[in-house]
Amino acid sequence: MKKLLALVLALVMSMSLVTISNAAYSDAADIDYKEAVEVMSAVGVLEGSDGKFDPKAELTREQAAKIIAYLDLGKDVAEALPAVK
């Protein structure tokens, strides 16, 4: 657990040094944590639908699992996991 926490903290610290603005959502004015959304969008963890991010929507289990997998395993390994439906 300590290793996971250290990994997450290191990732967050390293990502905070990078300013990325490639996520252009039509409801960007409603997003409170814009930098976090931009970083997670650039990494591929978060994706909007129909050009909107919808920050007021509830987080689904699928979205939470994707976030955890990306943070724990990294992008390449997380994308290689088989999708189960």
Side-chain angles (χ1 to χ4, degrees), residues 4-84:
L4 175 61
L5 181 59
L7 176 67
V8 170
L9 289 175
L11 177 66
V12 170
M13 288 173 41
S14 65
M15 290 297 188
S16 68
L17 299 174
V18 179
T19 303
I20 304 169
S21 60
N22 67 347
Y25 297 111
S26 61
D27 58 351
D30 298 334
I31 300 172
D32 293 329
Y33 302 102
K34 290 181 171 96
E35 185 177 357
V37 171
E38 289 176 355
V39 169
M40 296 300 268
S41 295
V43 174
V45 175
L46 301 177
E47 300 172 0
S49 61
D50 299 328
K52 294 184 178 183
F53 179 71
D54 197 14
K56 305 297 182 201
E58 291 186 17
L59 188 67
T60 65
R61 288 181 183 171
E62 179 183 7
Q63 293 166 334
K66 183 176 182 180
I67 292 169
I68 293 168
Y70 269 67
L71 290 175
D72 190 30
L73 303 172
K75 180 180 179 180
D76 295 334
V77 176
E79 289 180 353
L81 293 173
V84 178

